Amino acid sequence: MTDRLRNIQYKSTMLDGLYRVADAVAIILGMVLAVWGAGETTLPDHRLAVAAVLAIYFVIAEFTGVYRNWRGVSTEREVFCGTLTWAISLFALFFLATLSHFDHPFNRYTLISWFLITPLLLATSRIVIRTVLRWMLACGMNQLGVAIVGVNELGIQLAQNILDTPALGMRLSGFYDDRPSSRLPEIPEKLGTCVGNLHDLVEAARRGEIHRIYITFPMRAETRIRSVLHHLGDTTASVYIVPDFFVFEILHSRWSDIRGLPVVSVYENPLLGVDGILKRASDIVLSSLALLILSVPMMLVAIAVKLTSPGPIFFKQRRYGLDGQEILVWKFRSMTVCEDGAKVTQAKKNDSRLTPIGGFIRKTSIDELPQLFNVFVGSMSMVGPRPHASAHNEQYRKLIQNYMLRHKVKPGITGLAQVRGWRGETDTMEKMERRVQCDHEYIRNWSIWLDLRILFKTVFVLFGDKNAY
């Protein structure tokens, strides 16, 4: 379960309005400072531009999720989302101005200043609001009395998450359970105790001591859940059911509904919507820059491969891409063979099949550089689970549980497993299992910041990895 319950939903109408007002003030103040810095005079067209970008910003914010519940999510991700929304909004404004042939009166310095100052103000306002809210809640202001029905692993984990997140503004009153104490698991001392049974809970809720109640019974205990709900119907407390599917190995969870019927994903691709667009955009930009910078070195490597051994320059091998679809992955040929059949032998230390420069380009991962073309056309990503030969996929999917879930995202040139030392030959089952565990962890915890950290660490791993041969 770990921290999968951290993002407990809450109503935030007032907070949502506060964020909208703060963003509007930041955008307006950004223009004022930009005009003042350029030594210009505020004109009606400046006001028109601000009004237009505000309208665009609030529309785009609905798609990027700027005003969603950010409790339990890092400040960095919230600030990044706001900055991205601002950039898209300003570009949309310029696009509309170009289509309408609007001749704006402000100079280039004003535009650049507005573009740069506003995200700083947006970030500052959100950090200030978060800090103030955190302080208010930590001081016990406007806290909700919370009770947990069910002393079990799920209830204890929920209590721990509430305790670890004071910004939620919840004060845990204790656990309630009708079972005798001899049948209850031990509750960590810092999380409180089982303070009573269901009758005690109802009385406390009637007295107004408890505002919110979380039921953590297992889903199979339908009769017990119905009984609890029946008795709590005589109170005004808000009641929530915490489903115990969090005990499953969830790859990526997302709530949705089908005509009002709620459903939750257990195995899902995390790169949908804005996140998917952001991931693809970063892949295009990074692969384009890398190909531009490395074009001459790659040409020299291609010549060296051709001159040092007979055979093609590139080795193209069938591997599994997104959703298990077969793709052709490009590499500089480093061996005298080009295996791509039902049986593929992994490279070993001092492998006799290596070409004269094969060992060097494999050790430094130079042989992987042609995969930048795979990234640019969209069959791979800069960061993701490393693609295995199709023959190895068919072998390990029968041996390792949930092996194929690593294909819920595009394969990458580098990945979390590689920077953690699970690169190279997988001559034991444990090594492959460790690699797959890292792939699943990457999919569960994906963020653009995680991608950047992995790319940064990859630079150091390339020249110090003893497992590459």
Side-chain angles (χ1 to χ4, degrees), residues 13 48 51 73 88 97 118 150 167 171 217 240 254 269 278 295 297 305 338 360 370 377 405 415 418 432 435 452 456:
T13 305
L48 178 61
V73 183
I88 296 174
T118 299
R171 172 179 47 80
F217 291 151
Y240 298 80
R254 178 182 287 111
N269 183 341
L278 179 61
S295 58
V305 170
C338 295
F360 172 74
V377 301
L405 294 180
Q418 282 61 48
M432 181 59 80
R435 183 182 290 186
L452 294 176
F456 179 75

Side-chain angles (χ1 to χ4, degrees), residues 28-196:
I28 295 170
L29 183 58
M31 173 61 86
V32 172
L33 293 176
V35 171
W36 175 77
E40 292 186 312
T41 303
T42 303
L43 300 172
D45 286 331
H46 291 124
R47 301 187 185 95
L48 178 61
V50 169
V53 84
L54 280 173
I56 295 171
Y57 181 89
F58 288 132
V59 170
I60 294 177
E62 297 302 318
F63 294 94
T64 58
V66 170
Y67 300 114
R68 72 181 181 88
N69 177 9
W70 290 98
R71 282 190 175 185
V73 183
S74 67
T75 304
E76 292 80 5
R77 287 202 67 181
E78 181 180 0
V79 169
F80 179 80
C81 185
T83 302
L84 177 65
T85 303
W86 164 249
I88 296 174
S89 302
L90 202 56
F91 282 122
L93 177 67
F94 293 155
F95 178 72
L96 293 175
T98 302
L99 286 181
S100 61
H101 304 289
F102 176 71
D103 186 19
H104 59 78
F106 20 100
N107 60 40
R108 185 177 302 173
Y109 179 82
T110 302
L111 293 176
I112 295 175
S113 298
W114 192 29
F115 182 82
L116 297 177
I117 292 173
T118 299
L120 294 177
L121 295 174
L122 290 170
T124 301
S125 66
R126 289 181 175 273
I127 292 173
V128 169
I129 292 174
R130 272 200 172 211
T131 302
V132 172
L133 287 174
R134 195 175 294 118
W135 173 80
M136 291 174 62
L137 293 171
C139 290
M141 300 181 186
N142 196 32
Q143 287 198 336
L144 297 174
V146 173
I148 296 176
V149 181
V151 181
N152 50 32
E153 182 187 359
L154 185 60
I156 292 173
Q157 180 64 60
L158 176 60
Q160 183 66 59
N161 289 351
I162 292 173
L163 182 65
D164 292 342
T165 318
L168 292 173
M170 296 183 183
R171 172 179 47 80
L172 184 60
S173 301
F175 292 82
Y176 291 83
D177 203 307
D178 278 335
R179 294 175 295 171
S181 57
S182 59
R183 293 180 55 195
L184 302 180
E186 183 179 356
I187 303 173
E189 185 177 350
K190 63 180 179 179
L191 299 181
T193 61
C194 182
V195 297

Side-chain angles (χ1 to χ4, degrees), residues 225-434:
I225 294 174
R226 286 182 179 276
S227 176
V228 171
L229 293 175
H230 172 74
H231 288 89
L232 292 178
D234 193 32
T235 74
T236 58
S238 299
V239 181
Y240 298 80
I241 295 176
V242 184
D244 65 345
F245 52 65
F246 287 105
V247 301
F248 302 143
E249 181 62 27
I250 291 180
L251 186 65
H252 191 80
S253 182
R254 178 182 287 111
W255 283 103
S256 58
D257 71 272
I258 301 176
R259 297 194 66 181
L261 182 65
V263 295
V264 63
S265 62
V266 177
Y267 304 141
E268 178 60 282
N269 183 341
L271 301 175
L272 300 175
V274 175
D275 286 340
I277 295 173
L278 179 61
K279 174 82 165 174
R280 181 65 186 131
S282 65
D283 282 340
I284 293 174
V285 171
L286 293 174
S287 61
S288 300
L289 289 175
L291 286 170
L292 183 63
I293 296 171
L294 299 173
S295 58
V296 174
M298 288 176 67
M299 191 178 301
L300 295 176
V301 173
I303 294 173
V305 170
K306 191 65 178 177
L307 294 179
T308 55
S309 64
I313 294 174
F314 298 108
F315 167 46
K316 291 174 282 186
Q317 190 178 58
R318 291 178 298 115
R319 302 193 176 187
Y320 287 0
L322 180 64
D323 292 331
Q325 299 295 319
E326 270 194 345
I327 61 174
L328 281 178
V329 172
W330 286 47
K331 301 177 72 171
F332 282 123
R333 183 175 56 83
S334 59
M335 292 190 169
T336 56
V337 297
C338 295
E339 295 180 337
D340 189 27
K343 183 178 180 181
V344 176
T345 304
Q346 286 190 330
K348 299 178 175 61
K349 195 170 186 178
N350 301 319
D351 200 308
S352 60
R353 300 171 297 166
L354 290 172
T355 65
I357 67 167
F360 172 74
I361 65 175
R362 289 182 68 89
K363 177 69 176 178
T364 57
S365 293
I366 290 175
D367 65 321
E368 310 282 0
L369 292 181
Q371 290 168 33
L372 290 168
F373 292 109
N374 287 104
V375 176
F376 184 77
V377 301
S379 59
M380 288 182 63
S381 180
M382 292 296 290
V383 181
R386 284 293 297 149
H388 300 154
S390 295
H392 293 153
N393 283 323
E394 292 304 315
Q395 173 188 354
Y396 286 110
R397 72 188 301 175
K398 302 172 185 175
L399 302 174
I400 300 176
Q401 185 176 7
N402 297 331
Y403 173 87
M404 288 300 291
L405 294 180
R406 66 194 304 273
H407 300 293
K408 291 302 295 180
V409 297
K410 292 180 183 178
I413 294 180
T414 185
L416 186 61
Q418 282 61 48
V419 300
R420 286 190 176 171
W422 301 107
R423 178 187 179 214
E425 183 186 7
T426 51
D427 53 347
T428 66
M429 185 62 67
E430 181 190 6
K431 289 182 179 179
M432 181 59 80
E433 288 174 343
R434 294 284 188 178

